[in-house]
Amino acid sequence: MTLTHRLLSPLIVALAFSAPVVTHAATDPSFVLTATSKNFDNYFPSYLANGYFSTMTSVRGSEANLAYMVAFMDYAKDDIARPAAIPGWSGIDYSTGKSTAGEFWLNRTLLSDKAFSDYQQTLDMHNGTLTTRYRYTDDSQKSTRIEITTFVSQADTHLAATRITITPEFDGSVQLSFPLNIWAPHQPRFPIGKMTGDEMLAAVAANNMSVTEPVNYRTADRAPVWYHGDTNVSNDDGSTKDLTLQLDGKAEQGLHMAEAAAIELPKGIKPSDITLDKSTYQLALNMKVPVHKGHAYSFTKYVAMSRESWGGDASATAALAKKARSTGFDKLLAAHQTAWHTLWQSDIVIDGDAKVQQAVHSDLYYLLSNSTSGTAWPMGACALTPNYAGHAFWDSDSWVFPALLLLHPDRAKPIVMFRHRTMQPARERAIQYGAKGTMYPWEADPETGIDYTPHFAYGVFREIHVNADVAIAQWQYYLASGDSAWLKANGWPVIKEVADFWVSRVSYDKANDRYEILHVTSPDEAYDDVPNDSFTNAAARKALDIATAAATKVGASPDPQWADISKKMYIPFDAKARRHLDFDASVPHDKITWMGSSLAWLMYPNLDLPMSPEIRKNDFDFQLEELKVHGNDPNEMMMVMLATAAAEVGDGKTAGEWLQRNLVGFLKPPYNVRSETASNNAGYILATSAGFVQSLVYGLSGLRIDDNGLTEAYAPALPPTWKSLTLKHITFRGKRYDITVDRDAAGNAKLTRKAL
């Protein structure tokens, strides 16, 4: 992501929520996050998802919430591709009925301790459920005990369900509404596809003129930039007899989708006044039901989703919803929970730090909630939300992919498959920029792979290290899987054409007999159009070496230029200081940036540039100093890199301190949604969750995936207060292991492997 992107990221105000509460004895508290009524004024929502579709969470648990579907994009004129919001499916509304005081609906009642007493909302990450409980008292003083449970099925990826259980403290009749909410197109829509950075910043400033405080681009509301796209709904209908709803939709100039719901009533309940509400922004079934004081009544809304290439039209999708209803809530929930429990068999277990344990469980929850299996879809930078427009950055290849590769290789594979599937637009982009092979975009549309980097993101066409990142991930998948057939059919074509790109992109410096890469943007993105960025040059060299090795594996002839360029690739180095430079010494290293320096990137697992322990320590020390001198509100990608780098130099204490820094300000309560920095609140960024996972899987363990296998490249490290770290049920070349880092009799960290 670019600096300009980050300045324009969305603001979601952070809250202070209560400490986690265990919902039942069987649930490990590290899997449970809970909110209370103390936080009604501000709420940083989480989401429920299964990689294919999602819904945001909300305070009451009953509201209609924005929802998204994998790679379902809006392509409005002059805009960038952005996720089209699908009709909100999770909402159920409730009214105690008309009285002399009026008619009161749950979702329109203002939040207060009086109206919502005994409030508790719990995200159970082990079971993948959100449960909300409270005593609802409306303005007519009628009270009802309410419990709402929602899940998006991991067992059947087309399905979700919401169940509301009401226990009225009165006799009479109540009303319920089961809507599919159709969102109005976001207004205004900016021509982001052609707006300059200054024009975009001006738009953000204009949006904030209504507030009294001065505009601060790091904390202002960026909603004008990362808004959702539009789904146009047609063929919306329902049945008051069958208690079903269904609709067809189409993203703006995009794909078709379908959505349906089937309602289940409590046994013995005979509703009256059942109506079908078809309005511009809602398709709903409404009804009245008789109730008795102290009796509990459960109403369930079964929902099914489909989109082009994944499911059928409204009728076919309605059949899925009705089948779910016939199966029943308890069986669907049990299958969903079993699927989650299977996923959690691969886990990261920490003995000695409950806070880090809970953080890594929430990070894994978000990664698993947004990953698919057996597809060729990537994961958007900010999951199934509109942030960063749902595009696929290098975040997918270098951050998310390695985090999943050992724990859930089937969930990592779609990321590398996406790059193979979208080779053609990458070839066309290379031609556009006068290069050969494939030139993957900085921001790829997750459906088509086409470049949709905003025009205002100055210079990102020069942040070309993404092409090396793609090839490195392909090779890592082969090394971890040992799948030669996959390499030949899928990985090798990508690796080869990435190498061809680098051959066409390097320049030969005859005077120094070396190859250089000029006019690039550094990962420390304020340094735009610099020569010989060290990370870019090192990554390109690794991609070329990978191409030579892959050619041998598949029986192809490697281009001799690959080895020649690799051997002579220039990596800027300060011989006097005995450390690497960020880029060529001709460029002053004097800007205030989010990172201070990008030397830590050279040590990150996906690249892990070979160097002596002395140079590694010098690079690390320089990075820390520059973060103090030239750093400004560092992003969390830097925090996790520093934890990993500290482990590489054998400093478990410092690694632990940087892990703790990852818990301060970045985790937005109540549901540990990670933000990009502690202050800008750009949330849902999967790279930061994945980076935290990597700092444990590869950082403290010292493990690397290389040609020799799963290698103990560095001595393991543990923070002083930790007893052990266990990577449970990891998979490598078809075999499963538990890998534990604990202490020997002398107190030194040691690593052991146990075959399963």
Side-chain angles (χ1 to χ4, degrees), residues 103-179:
E103 184 175 6
F104 307 101
W105 286 90
L106 172 66
N107 292 340
R108 302 175 202 170
T109 301
L110 295 178
L111 294 168
S112 68
D113 286 330
K114 179 181 178 182
F116 297 86
S117 59
D118 303 326
Y119 176 88
Q120 179 176 285
Q121 185 178 77
T122 300
L123 178 64
D124 184 333
M125 298 177 291
H126 195 256
N127 290 313
T129 57
L130 184 79
T131 302
T132 313
R133 300 181 181 92
Y134 45 82
R135 182 174 184 261
Y136 167 58
T137 304
D138 65 19
D139 285 352
S140 69
Q141 303 308 305
K142 287 184 177 180
S143 296
T144 307
R145 290 282 177 182
I146 289 179
E147 178 174 320
I148 304 162
T149 298
T150 303
F151 67 91
V152 180
S153 180
Q154 278 285 357
D156 188 325
T157 53
H158 287 276
L159 299 180
T162 297
R163 166 169 282 187
I164 183 170
T165 298
I166 61 171
T167 306
E169 298 178 358
F170 57 89
D171 293 322
S173 65
V174 298
Q175 299 178 76
L176 289 108
S177 179
F178 302 90

Side-chain angles (χ1 to χ4, degrees), residues 592-629:
I592 302 298
T593 74
W594 289 39
M595 303 175 188
S597 168
S598 60
L599 290 194
W601 299 72
L602 301 180
M603 294 178 269
Y604 209 56
N606 65 303
L607 177 60
D608 203 8
L609 179 66
M611 64 185 85
S612 70
E614 176 201 5
I615 294 171
R616 188 176 301 276
K617 182 66 165 59
N618 291 343
D619 281 3
F620 181 53
D621 290 344
F622 179 79
Q623 175 70 72
L624 295 180
E625 181 61 25
E626 287 302 287
L627 197 59
K628 296 176 184 176
V629 175

